[in-house]
Structures are given as C-alpha cells and as structure tokens.
Amino acid sequence: MAVLYDESRRLFKLDTANTTYMIGITEDGYVGHVYYGRRLNRPGGEYLLRAKEYAYILSVNAREKEAFLSSFPFEYPTQWTGDLREGALDVMNEEGQCGCELFYRDYEITAGKPSLEGLPASFAGEGKAAEGVSTLRLTLTDPVLEIDAELIYSVFEKEDVITRSVVIRNNSGKTRILQKVYSASIDMDAGHYEMLSLTGSWARERHIRRRPVGIGKQSVGSIAGKSSHQENPFIALVTPGAGQDTGEVYAMNFVYSGNFTAQVQVSQFDSLRMCMGINAENFSWTLESGDHFTAPEVVMTYSAQGLGQMTRHLHDFYRGHLIRSPYLHKERPILINNWEATYFDFDTEKILSIARKAKESGIEMLVLDDGWFGKRNSDTSSLGDWYVNENKIKGGIAALSDEIHKIGLKFGLWFEPEMISPDSDLYRAHPDWALQLKGRTATMSRQQYVLDLSRQEVRDYAYECVAKILRTAKIDYVKWDMNRELTDIGSAALPASRQQEVFHRYVLGVYEMQERLVTEFPDLLLENCSGGGARFDPGMLYYSPQIWRSDDMDPIERLRIQEGTALVYPLSCMGAHVCCAPNHTTARSVPFETRGHVALSGTFGYELDITQIPEEDLEMIPGQIAEYHRYHGLIAEGDYYRIHSWSGEEPWDVWGSVAKDRSEALYTFVQVLTRPNVRSRRILLPGLEEDTVYRLEGTEECYTGGELAKCGILIPEMRGDALTKLLHFTADTRA
Ligand code: GLA
C-alpha cells in the first residue's frame, strides 16, 4: 500500500512513483504538514514541524501559543484562535462566534478511492488502472465545537497524483455554520517560487501567467458562479526558471465548476501556504446536528522535472481517473456546427444544404446551435422555452434529425438549460425561478437571467426540457452551453439563513442535472461549453469528455489558448473547429491549411458556411478529415510535449504528441510571423526512443530519436505568416 503510518514517529507517509507526502502529529495532537517533494524511501523529516523549537512547546510556554499557531505548518489550518494566516476552515457556533481548533483523532487506510457525494471526483478505475490507488482518511476533531474534519487523501501512484477533499461532520447537537471550507492546504518553507496561473477573458482564455511570489497573498479565483473565463481553477508553484524539463513544480487543480480561491501566501515567518477551495465570499453553509458537508476535490501533483512532466501526469490522470464518458477513447465524429455559419438566421432548408455539402466532404455530424426554439431570432428571447420554432424547423427536431440521418450524418443539438430570458413563456409563468435579490431588478447579461438551480422543481423542469427532446428524436450529441455569470445571488425558496448556500447549491444542481443526463442517455456524446471556455475545469470533465475551448477560433489566437489549456488538460477534451476567413472574432485571415492543422490538436470540426467557402478550401476538407483519422488516436492518447511558445524573438509555436509505446510522434510547427533572410531553423523534437530510427512521413528522411531530441531537425525557410508544417515520424521497420 502506498500509504503507511509509522506509529513510533507519528508520521503518515504517502508515496507515488516519484513523490512522497508526509503528515505528522505533535505531542499536543496538532496535525502538521511535514514534507511534499521527491520520493523518500523511509519515513522521516518530522523535525520539519519544528514542534520542539523553544517557545513552541505549548506545555512549556503557553504564553506564546499565538506565535506557535501562526507559524506551525498545519495540514488543515483553522481560523480565529491564533493562526493569522489564511485558514482553510472557519466555523461559527450557536452564539454567533467564530473560532476553531482541530486535533488528531484517528485514521483509516483503505485500497481504492471513495466517491464524493453529489460531486464529480476522480476514481480508481478497474483492473490495472486501479492498481496503486489507495486512500488515507484522517479524522481531526474540535472538542469544543464538537465537529469532525475528515481529511481524505487518495494516492495515485503511477500518475504521481494525490487528491484531497474534506468532510465536515457536526456531532454537537447544535447548529454549526461553516463560513469557509477549503479542500486543501499545504504549508512549507517559503524558498523562492513563482506562481503560475491560467488567466484571460472571453475569446482569450487560459493564457499562462507567472508572477514572483512575495510576502502576503497572491491569489486567483472566481465569484462568477462558474470557474470563469478570467481564471482557471489551477495554480502551480514553480521554481524560477522552471521550464519543460527542469525545475520544481507543485500544482493544484480543483474538481469544481463554481466559485473558487487558489492562493499562495508568504507569512512573516517565511512560511508559505498554498490553498484551494470554494471561494468564501458570499458562502456559508448551515450544518444542523448530524449533518455533514463534503468539500470538492483538489488534485495535487509534484514534479522535480519541470512542467512537461506535470502536464503528462495530469493528462494521464484525467484520462485514466476522471473522465467517465464511453467516448473517452473513441474517435469523436467530425462535426459541422452552424453557429458562425448562420447565427440565428436559418431554416430547415439551409441546415440541410449545409448537411449535404458536409456529407460530400466526409464530415460526420451536424450540430444545430442556438436559435431553433421558442421565438429565438436573436439573443433577446426564449431561453427556457425549449420547444421547436416551426417557422424555422418545419416538422420539429425529430423530423430534422431523421433527414440529417438519412443524409448519412449524426445529429447534435445545442441547449442552454440553466438560463431564462425575461421575454419567455417560462419567465412569464415563473418569474421567481430566476435568481434575484428581493426588491431589485436582476442584472441582465446577454439579455438573460439565470435559473435558480438550487430548487429541485426548477432543475426538474430544465432537465425534462432537454430529456423530452432526447427521448423523442435521435440525438447523438448535445452541446450544453451556459452563457453568463451568476449575479443577484438570491433564491426565492431558501430561508434567510441559507441564502449564502445558493452559489454552491447551484453548482450541485448543475452536477445533478448532468448526472441524470449521462445516466438516462448513456450513449450521448456531451460537450460542455460556457460562452466559449468559461467552464473548462475538471468538474465538467467528469460529465463530458470534451469542452468547448473558446469562442475564438482564430488559429493564431488559439495557439496561446491551446498552450495554456494543454498545460493541464488532455488534448482529447478540447473542442476545436476550423473557422471561416476572416475570423469573426479577430478579423484575421489565415490559410485554410493552418486552420485545419491547429484544430487537429483537439476534437475536430468545422464552424463555417460550407456552402459558401472558396472551392479551394472545400477541396482541402477531405484531406483534413483523413489527417484527423490518421492522427487522432495519437493526439488523444499520446504524451504531450510543449516545445516552443511563439514570442517576438521566436515567432513560431511547436508542440508534439508522442505515442505511449514511442512507435510514432506527430509534431506541429506553426510559423506565426515570417522572418526574412534567415536560414532553415533547427527545432529539437523530444520524446522518442534514443536508438530507434524514425522516418518522416512523406519523405525518405530518417533520424534516430536521439538525433531528433538532441540535434533536432531543420525546418526549411517558409515565406508567409501563419503557416504550418505537420511532422509525423514513425519507427522505420526497415531499419
Ligand atoms: C456561446 C457558445 C457559442 C454559441 C453561442 C450561441 O457563445 O460558446 O459556441 O453556441 O453561445 O448563442
């Protein structure tokens, strides 16, 4: 078992293939974080708790208890009894007073991984995947509040991942109010680190940002009710200069799709606290006696070999232990989506004409996007009225789906089940179903309100709207969209004492609906989306094997979005489409071939009016489709290598996917800007076997893996901006 308890040293040791995590218990019963880093063979290092340093032995010098609490490396810190740093747990008692202290009670070590009630969470899997997965449950207790905190650690040996979550139980016979419950916190000596996060905005999500870590708090987070365009629920602490192969990395990723905080704090005593959990702003949770609260899961990984190893471990972990969909390892149908082709302006004939042309080119599925229901001819109305607009789609969705299937394509449909338009029959019947604050007109965004999914009857209605259509028409794929932030956080159905539960109850409501959907329709291919990529998080991946990465399909803008997204999430889960030119978001025109090559590193599709595009572009589609079929397995299942990120000095972008058995690799080279009067450029291509000979597809050129990684290859000068080259190497059987 990868978890052991050394009774004599009062030390828990959690081991993965390359890392060790240790937790210690002091004589006074405080539970401290001892060590996280490169693997150790034996338990040790408990002196790092500094529990015996003068002034810190409470039985000897209780007058300095505050100094002790403010500097002890807690495994799960609490608030308002002395630790002046950010606490993970803040609890109010029946007197309205806050203050909590936790002491060790007992532990349990088991094989496998428990699920988390009502929440997405990683799992051990079956057969070989489940080998090397075990769980430590540490129970801590506050004897005054009479609450227990169960800290759950699951160890995934092969992927170098440890997950954490927390269950708080109220055994007191009284009411307890949770003001804050983070899921994970680790304390260590400050050292020199940078904080890396994925930040952005609509149409430029998840750009990689690094900033030096200094005294005080540096944090990212969301209060938008979703994980957000602006910040992704991921942070890493990296040593300065850490690159793809060098440097240390501590990463945390939140399996949650709502408000979050991810923070690094350096204290007066040069200790560093890294924590992650549900954002405490506008959050509280009333725990009646006997109740419990489960905090979502945090995924942690440590790499002593740079960001590349972190990325590959996270990709393996999400593919092996989080994404459940039966489509995970399957080739997804190549789709054509009508959104940027028609927006709201379409009818059956237009959709069928796109479908026919798409079929001729080898495309496999048509997705009908926004605008098919109610009176929705613009974004001013009808969300909530999920019945077909017969003026556009005569005969209804089932008839259209039959026609599309007759053409030989699968059929997918867009929904935005979490929303309600003020101009809708639903709103006229149930104005109280929208989130709102008493006495205020709710704030509109994209001319819509948000449904109060904390209410069961609202969830049932919204779910049935989707399910009814799926029960009566043949629908192979659903795009589940969510196009605004949450504001006006008030529910007409909850008492005053529970209004601050709305944000979290909303997220639990979304999870419940998506769980119902994938359970009732196990063959459905579900793609999550949120105004592009505002809910691109591990929580969503538990329900859908793919997520729309960004509304920005311009391949040049996409390079940064792809790089940031792929730092954490596997390529197999990134929705990527070929757009038309000029691109609707950036107005940039990029060659069709480049649009195809960039979109290939994701779940591939088209989003353009195929009946209108230039003939020479149309003629390229069958070739692009063949490329997708040839390379998709490699891209989806391979090891990802980030090689160059384009910048002023190096105006090219390079990444690769290498087969797990090292038999082949595909590298994508994008020349963003041309540079005149230079020689061919030398690019190192890592990942292949040192001594195996590989042939470059379409040529007679052969290289050993060692040559490719160390000498590199020469990319001849290319004249023009936004040009690409795919480099596919296969082990040369003749060698
Ligand atoms: C969001 C999505 C788009 C499209 C529109 C429809 O912006 O990200 O892909 O579905 O909504 O309104």
Side-chain angles (χ1 to χ4, degrees):
M1 198 87 79
V3 182
L4 71 84
Y5 179 50
D6 184 330
E7 181 98 49
S8 63
R9 310 179 88 140
R10 289 169 64 89
L11 209 54
F12 292 93
K13 184 167 182 283
L14 285 60
D15 288 323
T16 69
N18 301 295
T19 72
T20 291
Y21 188 103
M22 281 188 296
I23 303 162
I25 307 162
T26 69
E27 283 168 23
D28 299 315
Y30 290 105
V31 179
H33 179 73
V34 173
Y35 172 82
Y36 190 25
R38 279 178 297 153
R39 184 170 166 140
L40 278 160
N41 286 340
R42 292 169 188 280
E46 61 274 35
Y47 46 83
L48 294 174
L49 293 180
R50 297 180 169 96
K52 291 203 184 311
E53 278 184 20
Y54 179 68
Y56 292 163
I57 310 168
L58 293 185
S59 49
V60 174
N61 192 357
R63 75 186 281 271
E64 288 304 344
K65 180 171 174 181
E66 189 256 300
F68 169 79
L69 294 179
S70 269
S71 60
F72 183 72
F74 281 102
E75 192 55 38
Y76 194 63
T78 57
Q79 247 172 297
W80 309 121
T81 50
D83 188 348
L84 300 181
R85 296 164 290 178
E86 177 89 18
L89 181 65
D90 184 2
V91 187
M92 189 191 278
N93 68 10
E94 73 281 9
E95 310 287 339
Q97 297 171 345
C98 295
C100 176
E101 248 192 308
L102 292 171
F103 299 93
Y104 174 71
R105 206 177 69 200
D106 56 31
Y107 78 94
E108 185 190 42
I109 297 171
T110 49
K113 162 82 174 51
S115 54
L116 297 181
E117 203 181 12
L119 286 165
S122 60
F123 45 80
E126 278 158 21
K128 272 215 155 303
E131 285 170 19
V133 183
S134 44
T135 296
L136 165 68
R137 190 183 291 263
L138 272 185
T139 304
L140 281 54
T141 193
D142 182 323
V144 178
L145 287 172
E146 295 176 276
I147 59 160
D148 285 348
E150 289 174 13
L151 312 186
I152 305 166
Y153 301 78
S154 294
V155 179
F156 295 79
E157 280 185 71
K158 277 181 275 189
E159 293 84 5
D160 279 340
V161 161
I162 296 174
T163 60
R164 283 183 67 171
S165 62
V166 180
V167 178
I168 307 294
R169 291 184 194 279
N170 178 5
N171 308 316
S172 67
K174 300 184 184 108
T175 302
R176 301 284 175 244
I177 297 174
L178 306 177
Q179 309 262 93
K180 183 202 284 182
V181 191
Y182 286 169
S183 300
S185 177
I186 45 174
D187 283 354
M188 54 179 112
D189 281 30
H192 291 290
Y193 292 105
E194 292 172 353
M195 183 173 118
L196 184 155
S197 61
L198 302 175
T199 71
S201 183
W202 174 79
R204 51 182 162 81
E205 297 90 340
R206 291 174 300 285
H207 288 202
I208 298 172
R209 299 261 183 252
R210 284 160 85 143
R211 63 180 104 164
V213 170
I215 285 274
K217 294 177 178 175
Q218 24 269 297
S219 71
V220 294
S222 166
I223 53 163
K226 55 183 177 177
S227 43
S228 88
H229 292 103
Q230 293 77 16
E231 318 272 15
N232 195 255
F234 170 86
I235 52 169
L237 207 55
V238 302
T239 43
Q244 288 301 310
D245 306 317
T246 54
E248 281 187 282
V249 183
Y250 292 89
M252 281 188 180
N253 202 187
F254 204 20
V255 188
Y256 189 61
S257 312
N259 292 352
F260 72 94
T261 295
Q263 183 172 286
V264 176
Q265 180 183 16
V266 174
S267 82
Q268 55 179 332
F269 299 116
D270 293 332
S271 70
L272 181 152
R273 175 166 292 169
M274 182 181 187
C275 58
M276 185 172 264
I278 294 177
N279 196 313
E281 282 189 52
N282 205 347
F283 168 85
S284 72
W285 199 271
T286 300
L287 273 192
E288 297 300 348
S289 177
D291 282 358
H292 64 275
F293 178 85
T294 305
E297 181 166 287
V298 167
V299 174
M300 301 191 306
T301 187
Y302 167 83
S303 159
Q305 285 155 37
L307 289 161
Q309 178 162 311
M310 175 205 76
T311 294
R312 289 184 284 279
H313 281 154
L314 288 176
H315 288 191
D316 286 347
F317 179 70
Y318 291 135
R319 286 183 298 217
H321 299 285
L322 184 73
I323 304 173
R324 300 175 296 173
S325 166
Y327 291 93
L328 170 63
H329 298 297
K330 288 193 188 144
E331 253 183 39
R332 318 290 156 77
I334 296 173
L335 64 83
I336 186 156
N337 178 306
N338 73 305
W339 178 240
E340 291 209 351
T342 65
Y343 295 103
F344 295 102
D345 184 16
F346 59 82
D347 58 13
T348 303
E349 219 12 77
K350 178 71 195 167
I351 296 303
L352 290 180
S353 69
I354 292 177
R356 284 188 208 103
K357 199 88 181 165
K359 175 66 188 169
E360 281 168 23
S361 299
I363 291 170
E364 297 154 349
M365 177 161 76
L366 180 127
V367 175
L368 181 60
D369 210 280
D370 194 355
W372 56 267
F373 52 91
K375 293 195 246 39
R376 194 154 165 98
N377 295 317
S378 69
D379 61 12
T380 54
S381 82
S382 302
L383 292 168
D385 298 345
W386 297 103
Y387 39 83
V388 74
N389 179 344
E390 293 254 1
N391 292 332
K392 288 179 168 179
I393 307 292
K394 287 201 183 46
I397 290 297
L400 177 66
S401 160
D402 287 347
E403 284 303 311
I404 301 279
H405 281 101
K406 263 189 234 151
I407 291 172
L409 298 183
K410 292 180 188 295
F411 179 64
L413 196 57
W414 179 96
F415 289 93
E416 198 179 356
E418 302 167 49
M419 297 293 151
I420 179 166
S421 301
D423 180 7
S424 65
D425 293 343
L426 182 63
Y427 188 74
R428 284 182 280 274
H430 297 286
D432 61 313
W433 280 16
L435 285 176
Q436 58 202 280
L437 297 168
K438 204 168 181 183
R440 278 181 200 283
T441 305
T443 298
M444 282 215 279
S445 175
R446 211 192 190 210
Q447 313 216 49
Q448 62 200 57
Y449 295 147
V450 183
L451 279 173
D452 178 3
L453 296 182
S454 72
R455 295 170 67 169
Q456 187 67 53
E457 70 273 35
V458 179
R459 294 199 293 276
D460 288 346
Y461 171 86
Y463 176 75
E464 277 304 311
C465 286
V466 179
K468 249 187 234 156
I469 293 172
L470 267 57
R471 285 182 205 125
T472 50
K474 185 164 169 25
I475 297 190
D476 305 286
Y477 157 110
V478 161
K479 177 172 169 189
W480 179 305
D481 207 343
M482 191 279 193
N483 271 321
R484 59 159 291 177
E485 282 71 37
L486 270 58
T487 60
D488 305 274
I489 310 306
S491 169
L494 286 172
S497 61
R498 290 194 180 268
Q499 288 294 322
Q500 293 204 312
E501 298 179 7
V502 172
F503 264 130
H504 184 54
R505 285 183 183 274
Y506 180 92
V507 181
L508 294 179
V510 174
Y511 290 154
E512 184 208 277
M513 289 169 68
Q514 295 212 352
E515 185 67 38
R516 279 163 82 177
L517 190 69
V518 297
T519 307
E520 184 175 348
F521 305 99
D523 297 330
L524 181 73
L525 173 57
L526 180 63
E527 176 157 348
N528 267 291
C529 171
S530 178
R535 231 167 31 184
F536 206 116
D537 58 62
M540 288 284 108
L541 286 180
Y542 186 68
Y543 303 97
S544 65
Q546 60 198 63
I547 304 176
W548 185 226
R549 191 165 40 191
S550 176
D551 277 345
D552 194 336
M553 284 172 276
D554 166 28
I556 298 304
E557 182 56 37
R558 276 270 171 137
L559 294 175
R560 287 226 163 94
I561 300 173
Q562 271 182 210
E563 178 181 4
T565 311
L567 182 75
V568 178
Y569 306 103
L571 303 184
S572 63
C573 65
M574 299 181 195
H577 298 171
V578 175
C579 62
C580 66
N583 173 270
H584 290 194
T585 312
T586 62
R588 192 184 271 130
S589 288
V590 167
F592 199 73
E593 182 182 55
T594 302
R595 285 179 259 158
H597 283 169
V598 173
L600 210 52
S601 284
T603 66
F604 192 68
Y606 293 84
E607 193 163 331
L608 38 69
D609 188 347
I610 196 169
T611 65
Q612 303 285 324
I613 60 172
E615 200 55 35
E616 60 270 26
D617 291 356
L618 192 63
E619 281 167 13
M620 287 175 79
I621 294 181
Q624 292 181 333
I625 287 175
E627 273 170 352
Y628 168 82
H629 287 302
R630 188 150 74 242
Y631 302 134
H632 185 71
L634 177 56
I635 289 168
E637 310 286 342
D639 282 342
Y640 173 85
Y641 285 82
R642 165 56 50 178
I643 299 165
H644 281 282
S645 311
W646 72 276
S647 65
E649 269 104 73
E650 289 193 336
W652 50 83
D653 205 74
V654 189
W655 68 93
S657 294
V658 178
K660 288 273 176 203
D661 66 2
R662 311 276 159 237
S663 61
E664 59 172 330
L666 178 75
Y667 301 95
T668 307
F669 174 92
V670 184
Q671 174 171 287
V672 177
L673 292 174
T674 187
R675 182 181 286 179
N677 196 21
V678 289
R679 295 178 306 164
S680 57
R681 50 194 54 121
R682 173 182 166 221
I683 304 287
L684 307 185
L685 299 176
L688 288 168
E689 273 315 329
E690 173 82 18
D691 295 325
T692 304
V693 175
Y694 297 89
R695 195 162 58 80
L696 176 60
E697 187 184 318
T699 73
E700 287 304 312
E701 291 171 33
C702 286
Y703 306 85
T704 63
E707 262 179 313
L708 289 172
K710 294 166 191 165
C711 307
I713 77 157
L714 295 175
I715 309 273
E717 187 186 1
M718 301 198 281
R719 281 152 54 83
D721 293 344
L723 300 176
T724 48
K725 218 175 198 3
L726 287 186
L727 302 157
H728 182 224
F729 293 91
T730 41
D732 189 19
T733 41
R734 299 164 311 180

